[in-house]
Amino acid sequence: MLDGVTARAASTVLVGRQPELAGLREALGRARAGDPVTVLVGGEAGVGKTRLLEEFGAHATGAGARLLIGQCLELGEAGLPFAPFAAALRDVLRHDGPAAFAGYEAEFARLLPELARVPAGAAAPTGLPVSDTPRGYLFDLVADLFRRIAEERPLVLLIEDLHWADRSTRDLIGFLVRAARATRLLLVCTYRTDELHRGHPLRPFLAELDRARGVDRIELGRLDRDGTAAILADLLGAEPAARAVDDVHGRTQGNPFFIEELAAAGDPVGCAVLPETLRDLLLARVDRLPEPAQRVLRIAAAGGTRFAHQLLAEVAGLPEAELEDALRAAVAGQLVVADPDGDYEFRHALFREAVHDDLLPGEHARLHARYAAAIEAQPHLVAAGRAPAEIAHHWYAAHDHPRALIAARAAAAAAADRYAYAEQSRLLERVLELWELVPDAGDRLGMDHLRLLEETVAAANTAGDLSRALTLTRAALAEVDSAAEPLRAARLLDQRGRLLALLGKSDGAAELGEAYRLAAGVPDGPERVGLLSDIAAHLMKVDPAQAASVAAEATVGAEAVGADLALLPTRIAMLCRTQGIPDLGLAELRRAEALARAADDARALVSALVYLSDVLYELGRYAESEEAAAAGVSEARRVGISRSIGAYLLSNRAEALIALGRWDEADAACAEAARIDPPGVSGLHWLQLRAGLRLARAHPAADELVGRALAFLARPYLWPNHRLPLRELGIEAALAADDKVAALAASRSALADERLVDLPREGWPVLSAVARAAALVGDSALAAEASAVAAVLPARYPAELAHAAQVAAILTGVEFSADAPVAPAEQSGARVERPGVPAEQSDAAVEDGGVAVGRRSGPAQRPGAALPAWREAVAQWRAVGQPYLLGRALLALAEAAAAAGEREEVAGAVREAAEIATRLGAAPLGEQAATLARRVGLRGAGRPGPDLLTSREQEVLRLVAEGHSNSRIAERLFISPKTASVHVSRIIAKLDVTNRVEAAALAHRLGLLDPTPPAAPAQRRGR
C-alpha cells in the first residue's frame, strides 16, 4: 500500500499547525513591545510540540530575537535541579563568555557548575558559599540576566518537557512569570498532557500559572486525515494511495510521531506489523501499571479500541470493585479515557494494538470467544447495529470456523441493509475464505458457491474494489453453466466487460458481445430487459451503432413486459444523444429523475443525476449542473455508493464549479474525490480537473498531479471522452512550462487521435490548445492541420461555439504557405467558401455547426487583422460564462487590439483579465496581464500611460526586427556597437523576453514598432 518505498525517519514539513504558529508569533510581537509573555504548549507524546517549537525558533531567530533552549530531564523530583536553566545559561556562557554574568559567577555556579572555577578572590558579594546562596537572591540574578540580554534584543526562552521538571525548576519558572516580570522576554514551556496523572505535581502548578497575567495556553491536537496524508507524502517523496492514508491515519489517529514510525517501517501493505521499537515504547507505559490493571487492559484490548463497562464486566468476570480499581489505575495512567456515557476508550489505538498483539495464543482465542458469546446473548452491549459484525469478528478471531461462517454471512447482510458495501464486501470475502474450511458450508448457508461469488462481485463492485471484483468474475464464470443459465452467464460477462474498461485493461467489447449473444436467445422478461439496457449503456463508448440497436431492442422488451424505464436512465440519455436531439435528452432525464424519486430507487436516481449534471453542463447551464451533481453527491453518500457511480458526481460538480469561477469550492470537491479514491478510470476525471486547476494557479504540486493524470494514457485502453481531455492537459502543461518541443509533440499526438472529430465537446478544447501551440511556435503546418480538423468538427453547444470562435481567432494570425488552408471562420453564419466545395455546401457546414475554411496566399495578414475574430471569441466566452477562458481570450484580444493601435480597447481588456485572474487566484493569468500592460505602456488599473520604449529604443527594435546585428544597427543609427548592445539588452528586459528573436516577434504581434522608419544616413548628415 505504501509501495515498498523507503521513508525518511522524520518529516521536514510542519503540517496543520498554522494557527498555533501564528499564536506564538503574536506572543513574540507582544514581548517585543515590552510585555512579558508566557505560553504553555501542551499535547500528548509525539503530537509535534518540538517540531512546532523548531519552526517557531527559526522564525524568532530570523526576526532578530535571541533564542535560548532548555530541556527537562526524565529524572523526576530527585533529578538535577534547574536542568533546563543550566542548559540555557551554558549557551550564554558559550556565546557571551563569563562577562555576561557581571561578576556573579559564584552565585550562578549553583545553576552552572562550570562557573565555580573562577579566579581566587572572586567570591560572592554576600560572602556566602555557593551552596548557601539564598534562592530568592539567585532567582533575582537569573531574572536580571535575562533582562540585560533582552535589552539588546527580544529574548525567547524555550523549556521543553515541563512534565519532568523538578521542584526547583518549577519554582524558578513561577518566579519569572509572577514576580520578575522581565520585559521583552517570551517564555515558552511544553509538557505532555498524557503524562499528567491525577497526582502529578505539574497539575496544580499549571493551574496557578493560568491565573497569572500574560500566560497563554496552546493545546496541540492530533492531525486530521489530510495532515496525515501530507506527512506521508513528505516522508515517502510521493503522494500515497488514499487507502494507505486511511490505514495509517486510522491506526495512528493523526499522531505525527506514530505516522513517522509506521512509514519508516516500510511495510508494503500499510505497515501491517507494528514496528518493534514503537511496540516496546507503548508497552513500557503499560508495564508501569499494577498487575490487575494490566490484566484488565489485556481483556479490554480483545474487545476493541472502545468498549462498554458492562460488556467488559461480562467478559472479565471480576468483582465490580476489583474491576473498577483496575480501570481507575488505567485511567490515572493515561492509557484509558472514560466518557460521560459510561464507555471507555484506549487513549490511542496503537496502545490497544500493542496490548492485543502481546496476548498469548490461547488467551487470544479464549477472550474473543467470550466476547462473541456475551454479545450473542446480549446484543445491546454494543452500539446499535454493530452486533452482527462484532459477533462475526470475535468468532473468527477465536478460530471457531463454523460459527464464524454463519456470523459473517449474517453480518454481510446487515451491512448491505445499512449501505455499508465496503464492510459487506470484506465480510463476504471472509465467508469465501471460511467456505473452504467448513465442509458443509453450503448447507449451513443455504446457498451454492456460485451464488456467494455473485454476491461478492456485486458488493466489491459497489464498494469500488474493481480489481477484486474483476478477479471474482473470472472465478464465477468458471463455475456457471452458460447453456443452462444464459442470463446468469450474460450478467457476469456484462460486469466483466465493464470492469475491464473501467480498469483500462481493454474495451470489454468481446465480453459485451458474448453477453448480448447469450441474452438474445432468452424470452423477454424484466431481467432480460434490464440486462440489455446495461449492455447498451456499456457499448455506447465502444460501438455507438450497436449500442443504439441493443437499446432499441431493450425499449421494445420493456414496453412488452411493463419494465420501469426509471431503472434505465443511462440508456435513455445515450439513446437520445445518438438520435441528435437538441437538448441531449434533458427532458427524458428529468422524467427519469422524477420516476426514480417516486419509486425511492436510489441507484436509478444517482445514475440519472450523473447524466443530468453532465447534460446540463454541455448545454452551458453550469449552475443547474452543479445543483444536480451536489444533490447526487448527497444521495450517493446516503446509500454508500460514493466510490462507484457516485464518484462521477463529485467530478461533475467540480467541473461545473470551475466553469462558474468558484475555484476554491471546485478544489475542495476534488479533494473530497481524492479522499474517496475512486478506482480505475472513474478516478481520472477529478484528477484531470484538479491538475488543470493547479496548472492555472501555478500550484507547487501541479506537475505531480499532471504526471499522475497523463500516466493514464499508458493504459492499454481508455475511453475517448477520458483520453481527449488528457491530450489537452498534456498540451497545456507543456505550454505552461514553455516547452515548445513537448507542446508540438503533444499537439501532434492529439491531432492523430482517431476519435477527435467524433466528440465535439472534448475535441474543441483539444483543438484550441493545439492552435495555441501552433501560434506560439509559429508552426504553419500544425496550424494547417488544426484548421483542417476545425472544418469538419461540428459546434452546436455554447462552449463548443466559443472554442470554435477562439480557434478561428488564433489561426487568423498564423502565417500559412501559399498553398495551405487558413483560419476557420468565426461562428457568425458568414458565407465562406472551401476549396473545391460548392458555396451551398459551405453554407450548410456553417449552419450545421461546422467551421468553414477558405484559402489565401501571400504574406501574413496586416497587424490587427485578428482583432474582429478575437472580439467574436470574447463575445462568445462572455455569453458562455466561463471566466478563466474569458480571461485568456481577453488577453489575446488585448494583443490584437495593441497591434491595431486600439489602446483604449487594450486597456479595458487587460483590466478585466487582471480582475478575473485576481478573483480566481490564477496567478499566471495575472502575471500575463501585468506583463502585457507593461509592454504596451499601460499603468495603474489598465489606463494608458507613457510608452514602454523610448523613441531611440523603438528605432533599435525596428532594426532588430529587420534582422540586423548590433554592428549594423550602430552603423545605421550612428552610434557605437556597445551603445547598440546596451539598447538591445534594455529592450529585451523591458519586453520581458529572452532573446532578440522573441523581441522582434513580440514587436510585430503588439504593434510596438515606430510606424515612421528611421531616416536614411544621408539625411542624417544634412546632405
Side-chain angles (χ1 to χ4, degrees):
M1 191 178 293
L2 292 181
D3 301 325
V5 297
T6 301
R8 289 197 308 273
S11 175
T12 59
V13 297
L14 183 68
V15 175
R17 303 305 186 200
Q18 281 65 38
E20 293 83 1
L21 185 59
L24 288 170
R25 289 177 175 176
E26 188 271 337
L28 177 59
R30 286 154 50 199
R32 188 187 299 277
D35 293 332
V37 183
T38 300
V39 180
L40 305 173
V41 181
E44 68 182 13
V47 82
K49 300 180 295 298
T50 299
R51 182 71 186 86
L52 173 65
L53 292 194
E54 287 174 354
E55 191 78 13
F56 171 66
H59 165 77
T61 302
R66 176 76 179 271
L67 182 67
L68 298 177
I69 301 175
Q71 179 86 37
C72 298
L73 304 179
E74 192 177 2
L75 299 174
E77 291 294 318
L80 293 175
F82 305 114
F85 288 98
L89 295 179
R90 190 169 289 112
D91 185 72
V92 174
L93 177 62
R94 183 165 52 252
H95 288 87
D96 301 336
F101 299 94
Y104 292 96
E105 291 87 349
E107 288 77 4
F108 278 106
R110 180 167 181 180
L111 303 179
L112 196 60
E114 296 94 309
L115 289 173
R117 298 186 291 273
V118 295
T126 60
L128 296 172
V130 170
S131 59
D132 295 334
T133 304
R135 281 175 23 116
Y137 179 56
L138 179 64
F139 288 4
D140 275 328
L141 289 176
V142 173
D144 184 65
L145 173 64
F146 290 157
R147 179 189 58 76
R148 284 186 281 109
I149 294 175
E151 285 177 351
E152 298 180 6
R153 50 180 172 154
L155 174 62
V156 178
L157 176 60
L158 305 181
I159 297 181
E160 294 197 71
D161 297 323
L162 199 57
H163 51 279
W164 289 331
D166 60 283
R167 171 69 179 275
S168 298
T169 296
R170 293 196 300 271
D171 288 345
L172 179 49
I173 291 173
F175 177 82
L176 292 174
V177 172
R178 291 192 301 269
R181 313 305 298 167
T183 58
R184 289 168 46 99
L185 169 65
L186 172 60
L187 176 61
V188 182
C189 303
T190 70
Y191 62 93
R192 291 183 185 173
T193 54
D194 52 341
E195 293 279 357
L196 304 187
H197 53 77
R198 185 167 300 171
H200 198 288
L202 189 61
R203 279 181 175 270
F205 178 71
L206 293 177
E208 292 176 12
L209 291 186
D210 280 336
R211 293 194 290 269
R213 184 174 65 87
V215 176
D216 299 333
R217 282 251 204 161
I218 292 178
E219 292 290 334
L220 287 189
R222 297 167 182 170
L223 299 176
D224 58 14
R225 182 193 178 280
D226 289 344
T228 298
I231 290 183
L232 284 175
D234 178 60
L235 292 171
L236 303 175
E239 187 170 341
R243 294 288 185 90
V245 176
D246 290 338
D247 177 65
V248 173
H249 183 69
R251 296 174 69 195
T252 64
Q253 296 178 307
N255 183 293
F257 172 72
F258 293 157
I259 296 169
E260 292 171 352
E261 286 293 307
L262 287 186
D267 192 283
V269 289
C271 314
V273 178
L274 205 60
E276 286 296 328
T277 54
L278 181 56
R279 184 192 310 278
D280 293 343
L281 184 66
L282 296 169
L283 290 178
R285 294 279 302 277
V286 178
D287 292 341
R288 299 174 193 169
L289 298 178
E291 178 54 36
Q294 292 186 40
R295 185 167 59 254
V296 168
L297 271 188
R298 289 194 294 272
I299 298 171
T305 302
R306 188 177 179 85
F307 52 93
H309 181 90
Q310 188 177 354
L311 176 60
L312 181 63
E314 287 286 334
V315 175
L318 296 173
E320 192 67 22
E322 186 176 338
L323 178 63
E324 289 179 352
D325 286 344
L327 287 171
R328 184 174 290 108
V331 171
Q334 300 289 314
L335 293 173
V336 171
V337 293
D339 62 30
D341 297 330
D343 290 341
Y344 297 91
E345 184 176 8
F346 280 87
R347 176 171 287 276
H348 201 285
L350 288 184
F351 277 123
R352 180 260 166 191
E353 187 176 332
V355 174
H356 183 261
D357 290 349
D358 203 42
L359 293 174
L360 297 173
E363 186 181 25
H364 179 278
R366 184 172 61 256
L367 287 175
H368 280 287
R370 285 159 64 178
Y371 270 106
I375 298 171
E376 278 185 336
Q378 303 181 66
H380 65 275
L381 294 178
V382 296
R386 289 299 305 163
E390 293 285 341
I391 293 168
H393 163 71
H394 288 299
W395 281 130
Y396 181 79
H399 308 301
D400 191 326
H401 297 152
R403 286 177 172 172
L405 176 80
I406 298 171
R409 179 68 181 82
D417 290 340
R418 303 194 316 273
Y419 307 120
Y421 297 110
E423 183 178 356
Q424 179 198 16
S425 177
R426 287 193 297 271
L427 287 163
L428 288 175
E429 289 279 3
R430 180 164 293 172
V431 177
L432 283 172
E433 174 192 343
L434 293 168
W435 185 285
E436 306 299 329
L437 302 176
V438 180
D440 56 345
D443 294 336
R444 288 176 180 269
L445 297 179
M447 63 191 308
D448 61 16
H449 192 256
L450 178 58
R451 177 58 183 159
L452 176 59
L453 282 171
E454 290 172 327
E455 281 192 14
T456 313
V457 167
N461 194 1
T462 306
D465 191 354
L466 303 189
S467 295
R468 181 57 180 163
L470 181 65
T471 301
L472 291 168
T473 58
R474 185 191 304 115
L477 284 167
E479 293 189 19
V480 69
D481 185 345
S482 58
E485 298 179 289
L487 283 183
R488 196 174 192 183
R491 174 65 68 186
L492 287 168
L493 284 165
D494 172 60
Q495 290 175 320
R496 184 167 179 80
R498 179 176 177 274
L499 289 167
L500 285 168
L502 283 171
L503 290 169
K505 295 179 179 294
S506 78
D507 60 7
E511 289 76 11
L512 294 172
E514 179 63 13
Y516 175 69
R517 187 190 69 79
L518 290 172
V522 179
D524 274 335
E527 184 180 358
R528 179 178 182 271
V529 168
L531 178 58
L532 287 177
S533 69
D534 284 346
I535 293 173
H538 302 162
L539 277 173
M540 183 54 62
K541 295 178 180 179
V542 179
D543 189 342
Q546 185 183 2
S549 173
V550 176
E553 185 178 346
T555 302
V556 173
E559 292 172 353
V561 300
D564 189 353
L565 289 181
L567 301 178
L568 314 175
T570 304
R571 185 196 63 77
I572 293 172
M574 294 298 100
L575 184 59
C576 291
R577 188 179 294 252
T578 61
Q579 293 174 342
I581 294 177
D583 72 348
L584 294 174
L586 181 62
E588 287 293 338
L589 280 172
R590 292 287 193 193
R591 175 176 173 268
E593 178 194 8
L595 289 172
R597 290 187 186 278
D600 196 24
D601 189 326
R603 286 178 177 275
L605 176 59
V606 170
S607 181
L609 289 171
V610 168
Y611 285 99
L612 180 62
S613 61
D614 194 54
V615 165
L616 286 168
Y617 181 91
E618 189 159 357
L619 293 173
R621 296 159 66 169
Y622 304 127
E624 294 177 68
S625 173
E626 189 275 330
E627 290 174 3
V633 167
S634 299
E635 185 67 17
R637 189 181 296 122
R638 181 182 72 84
V639 296
I641 54 176
S642 294
R643 288 197 77 237
S644 50
I645 190 171
Y648 295 104
L649 287 160
L650 278 170
S651 56
N652 280 4
R653 179 169 182 258
E655 188 174 34
L657 288 167
I658 290 172
L660 290 167
R662 293 156 59 182
W663 281 16
D664 289 340
E665 294 177 72
D667 191 67
C670 289
E672 185 177 353
R675 286 190 290 271
I676 291 173
D677 189 27
V681 297
S682 58
L684 173 57
H685 192 205
W686 77 262
L687 184 60
Q688 168 243 320
L689 290 173
R690 199 177 201 190
L693 195 61
R694 289 189 168 180
L695 267 181
R697 285 182 157 179
H699 191 284
D703 289 345
E704 192 260 341
L705 274 185
V706 169
R708 285 176 55 196
L710 295 182
F712 276 80
L713 289 172
R715 298 198 176 199
Y717 178 76
L718 206 59
W719 281 323
N721 64 315
H722 285 142
R723 186 174 65 244
L724 289 174
L726 289 182
R727 303 288 191 198
E728 178 198 0
L729 178 64
I731 300 171
E732 293 290 355
L735 291 174
D738 197 25
D739 188 338
K740 296 179 176 62
V741 174
L744 285 176
S747 296
R748 298 199 181 280
S749 296
L751 289 177
D753 196 299
E754 59 185 10
R755 297 299 301 275
L756 179 62
V757 296
D758 299 331
L759 301 172
R761 174 177 172 178
E762 292 80 14
W764 277 112
V766 171
L767 201 59
S768 181
V770 170
R772 288 177 59 225
L776 175 67
V777 179
D779 190 322
S780 58
L782 181 63
E785 290 182 54
S787 180
V789 174
V792 297
L793 189 61
R796 297 186 179 91
Y797 301 103
E800 295 169 10
L801 291 167
H803 273 297
Q806 180 166 302
V807 170
I810 295 170
L811 296 180
T812 296
V814 179
E815 290 190 33
F816 289 84
S817 61
D819 57 349
V822 298
E826 298 90 324
Q827 299 300 305
S828 59
R831 181 187 181 97
V832 183
E833 295 185 4
R834 289 179 5 202
V837 179
E840 293 79 5
Q841 294 183 27
S842 295
D843 287 346
V846 172
E847 291 170 2
D848 188 48
V851 181
V853 178
R855 174 184 291 271
R856 69 176 171 84
S857 61
Q861 295 178 353
R862 60 180 175 79
L867 183 56
W870 275 115
R871 285 171 177 162
E872 173 66 16
V874 166
Q876 291 280 7
W877 280 122
R878 204 180 297 283
V880 168
Q882 296 194 33
Y884 179 65
L885 296 178
L886 171 61
R888 293 210 307 198
L890 283 165
L891 286 186
L893 171 64
E895 287 195 1
E902 300 288 345
R903 292 182 64 82
E904 290 297 330
E905 189 169 9
V906 174
V910 169
R911 180 171 55 250
E912 186 177 357
E915 290 171 353
I916 289 172
T918 301
R919 186 168 72 251
L920 298 179
L925 182 65
E927 291 170 3
Q928 292 163 15
T931 299
L932 180 58
R934 186 171 62 254
R935 284 169 171 170
V936 298
L938 299 180
R939 63 182 181 183
R943 296 187 301 276
D947 289 334
L948 177 67
L949 303 179
T950 66
S951 58
R952 171 62 80 179
E953 287 168 346
Q954 286 183 338
E955 289 180 319
V956 172
L957 179 57
R958 174 177 289 280
L959 294 174
V960 168
E962 292 176 2
H964 295 296
S965 66
N966 287 353
S967 298
R968 183 60 179 154
I969 292 171
E971 290 178 9
R972 293 284 299 273
L973 299 181
F974 300 101
I975 57 178
S976 70
K978 182 176 181 180
T979 301
S981 175
V982 170
H983 281 309
V984 171
S985 297
R986 287 176 177 171
I987 290 168
I988 289 173
K990 286 184 176 182
L991 295 183
D992 194 20
V993 294
T994 58
N995 54 51
R996 300 161 62 97
V997 175
E998 289 185 9
L1002 183 66
H1004 281 298
R1005 193 167 76 243
L1006 297 183
L1008 299 179
L1009 300 177
D1010 186 349
T1012 303
Q1019 294 173 325
R1020 292 286 184 122
R1021 293 182 181 180
R1023 294 179 182 176

